Amino acid sequence: MSRALITGITGQDGSYLAELLLHRGYEVHGLIRRASTFNTQRLEHIYQDPHVEDTRLFLHYGDLADAGRLTNLVYEIQPDEIYNLGAQSHVRVSFDMPEYTGDVTGLGVARLLEAVRRSGIKTRYYQASSSELFGAAPPPQSESTPFMPQSPYAAAKLYAYWMTTNYRNAYNLFAVNGILFNHESPRRGETFVTRKITRAVARIRKGLQKKLYLGNLEARRDWGFAPEYVECMTLLLQHDTPEDVVIGTGESRSVREFVEESFSYAGLDWREHVEIDPRYFRPTEVDHLLADASKARRLLGWEPRVTFRELVRIMVDCDLAALGETPPGAGVHALRKKGFGWTANRITPG
Ligand code: NAP
Ligand code: GDD
C-alpha cells in the first residue's frame, strides 16, 4: 500500500487529493493546524475514526512554521509521496501579511524539503507552484516564460519553486513543481472571487442579500475545475522523471464574464446587484493569466474535461443546493457525466 503525506489537506485541493488517493487504495496522512474551531469540514465525508480497523486516513497536528514537527512527521510516517499544498494562499491577504506569507508559503517549503533530506528516506515530493509566478509576463505562459511575480504571495511561491528545483539538483530528490493556473470548485474558499460570486448569486436568489461588492472586473484568469488538477498532481509524481509542468485549460475569461455567466444562469441581472468596492483592488494586479499547457498534454496526456460554462454551473448549482434551493441542474449533470467517480460528487459544498 502506498503512503502519502499531504500538507494543506483541509483546503480545497487537499480534500480532493485525499479523496482521490484513498479511492486508489493509499494510506493518507494529513497535516492539520490546531484551531479552536473545527477546520476539517471539507474532510468530513472521508474522515475515519482512527480506532476503527482498516482506517487509512490519519490527521496529524503540525504547521509549516514548525521545522521540528515536520522532521518528526516525515521520519515517523515515511511517506512514499509528499504533496506540499499548505500555504497562506490568498494573494490579496499577502499584501496585508507579507512576512507571515513569506514564512509559511516560502520558508515552509525549505523546512519540509530539509525534513525530507535529513530523514534520508526515498520519497517523491510535489510542490504546489502557481501561475502567479508569471505575474506581469504577457500571456500565454508556459514553463519557459520568465517569472515576474506581483505580490508577496507570488514572491514566496517563487522562493518555493526554486528551492524545490535546487533540492532536486543538489540532492537528487524526486521533487517537482506543478505550476497550476486557477482552479475552482464548490469547495473553493469563500473569499476567492469565483466562490464569492457563486455564493452571492445563491444568497441573492434566496433573498439573503442584495448586493455583491467586487474589485477589478477586468482581470483575466484561466479557470479550471479543481478535481482535474489534483489528478495531475498524482500524474506528475508517477512520471518516470521529475518534471516541472504548467497545468491550465488554455482559455482565459475576465472576472466580469464569470459574473455575467453566474448571474444569468440563476436567472438574475448582475447589473442590479454588483457594485465596485476599491477595497478589493490590489496594490499590483496580475492582469492576464492564460496557460500554454502543451507540455502537460505531451508528457502526461492530460486534457481538461470541464469547460468554463460547466464550471460556473457546477458552482452555482452547489451553492443553491446548500441553501435548500432547487438548482437549475445543468452543473450537477455535467459533474456526473464527466467521470469524477472518485469524488463524493455531492452537490453541497464541502
Ligand atoms: P486553500 O484552500 O487556501 O488551502 C490552503 C491549505 O493550507 C489549508 O489546508 C490550510 O489550513 C493550510 N495552511 C495554511 N497555513 C498553514 C500553515 N502555517 N501550516 C500548515 N498548513 C497551512 O488552498 P488551495 O486552493 O487548496 O491550494 C492548494 C495549494 O495550491 C496552495 O499552496 C496554493 O497556494 C496553491 N495553488 C492554488 C491554486 C488554485 O487556484 N487553487 C493555483 C495554484 C497554486 P487551514 O484549513 O487550517 O487554513
Ligand atoms: N478575491 C477577490 N475578491 N478577487 C477579486 C475580487 C474580489 O472581490 N474582485 C475582483 N477580483 C479579482 C482579483 O483582483 C484577481 O485579479 C482575480 O479576481 C482572481 O482573484 P482570486 O480569486 O483571489 O485569485 P488569484 O488569481 O488572486 O489567486 C488564486 O489563483 C492563484 C493561481 O493563479 C489563488 O488560488 C492562489 O493561491 C493561486 O496561486
Side-chain angles (χ1 to χ4, degrees):
M1 188 193 304
S2 295
R3 200 176 302 138
L5 169 63
I6 305 174
T7 73
I9 194 169
T10 55
Q12 170 188 255
D13 291 5
S15 66
Y16 281 120
L17 180 63
E19 215 172 342
L20 176 62
L21 295 179
L22 286 171
H23 176 76
R24 291 186 180 162
Y26 276 60
E27 181 177 300
V28 175
H29 294 258
L31 185 79
I32 60 168
R33 297 196 285 177
R34 194 278 172 199
S36 68
T37 51
F38 286 120
N39 56 3
T40 49
Q41 294 92 325
R42 293 187 179 101
L43 299 173
E44 265 161 22
H45 61 296
I46 49 171
Y47 180 76
Q48 295 159 326
D49 185 333
H51 303 99
V52 172
E53 220 183 310
D54 296 338
T55 299
R56 285 188 289 114
L57 176 65
F58 302 92
L59 302 178
H60 309 269
Y61 286 117
D63 199 297
L64 284 163
D66 184 347
R69 179 63 174 149
L70 294 175
T71 305
N72 284 345
L73 279 176
V74 167
Y75 191 73
E76 282 164 18
I77 297 168
Q78 307 244 335
D80 303 295
E81 297 174 2
I82 298 178
Y83 296 87
N84 184 34
L85 311 184
Q88 191 304 92
S89 72
H90 203 285
V91 174
R92 177 66 193 83
V93 171
S94 78
F95 287 98
D96 299 330
M97 303 175 73
E99 182 186 336
Y100 176 78
T101 304
D103 189 12
V104 170
T105 307
L107 274 178
V109 177
R111 296 185 185 105
L112 191 52
L113 286 166
E114 264 299 279
V116 172
R117 186 178 75 85
R118 286 176 190 216
S119 72
I121 62 165
K122 265 247 163 294
T123 189
R124 293 189 168 205
Y125 176 93
Y126 173 90
Q127 173 58 28
S129 283
S130 164
S131 51
E132 275 288 306
L133 293 172
F134 299 121
Q141 293 99 2
S142 72
E143 295 79 7
S144 56
T145 303
F147 296 140
M148 299 176 71
Q150 297 294 302
S151 65
Y153 167 81
K157 283 285 184 188
L158 186 72
Y159 172 79
Y161 173 94
W162 285 118
M163 284 300 280
T164 303
T165 312
N166 181 250
Y167 271 60
R168 178 169 74 220
N169 296 335
Y171 306 115
N172 203 24
L173 289 185
F174 192 107
V176 301
N177 288 287
I179 309 172
L180 272 49
F181 282 62
N182 299 49
H183 44 280
E184 320 293 316
S185 75
R187 294 187 201 165
R188 184 58 142 153
E190 291 85 349
T191 60
F192 295 98
V193 78
T194 55
R195 185 76 198 290
K196 185 172 166 182
I197 295 166
T198 60
R199 199 163 163 266
V201 162
R203 289 174 58 81
I204 291 169
R205 258 271 296 260
K206 178 95 175 167
L208 296 175
Q209 76 184 63
K210 283 197 165 60
K211 295 289 179 195
L212 167 61
Y213 295 93
L214 293 173
N216 177 13
L217 298 186
E218 308 315 325
R220 299 185 74 84
R221 291 290 182 274
D222 180 326
W223 278 299
F225 185 47
E228 302 198 65
Y229 288 56
V230 305
E231 287 173 349
C232 274
M233 295 175 189
T234 67
L235 290 177
L236 275 172
L237 284 203
Q238 265 124 50
H239 194 68
D240 298 343
T241 51
E243 302 278 348
D244 300 329
V245 174
V246 156
I247 306 289
T249 68
E251 187 184 329
S252 77
R253 304 293 189 124
S254 65
V255 174
R256 182 186 299 273
E257 285 173 277
F258 198 103
V259 167
E260 285 168 354
E261 192 71 37
S262 308
F263 276 79
S264 76
Y265 178 58
L268 297 167
D269 181 353
W270 70 276
R271 285 176 199 78
E272 291 172 10
H273 302 284
V274 173
E275 295 202 2
I276 302 303
D277 182 342
R279 175 196 330 189
Y280 299 113
F281 292 155
R282 294 166 182 192
T284 39
E285 177 61 285
V286 169
D287 294 325
H288 193 170
L289 294 176
L290 171 65
D292 170 356
S294 38
K295 182 174 176 185
R297 260 198 312 278
R298 204 174 56 248
L299 207 71
L300 310 172
W302 183 77
E303 290 281 356
R305 314 202 280 285
V306 173
T307 65
F308 172 75
R309 173 176 278 195
E310 287 169 339
L311 171 66
V312 170
R313 293 178 170 197
I314 289 167
M315 293 178 70
V316 173
D317 273 1
C318 288
D319 277 324
L320 281 168
L323 292 181
E325 293 281 286
T326 307
V332 178
H333 179 69
L335 187 55
R336 296 214 170 107
K337 204 178 67 188
K338 295 281 165 119
F340 294 97
W342 54 267
T343 69
N345 266 2
R346 296 181 320 162
I347 60 168
T348 48

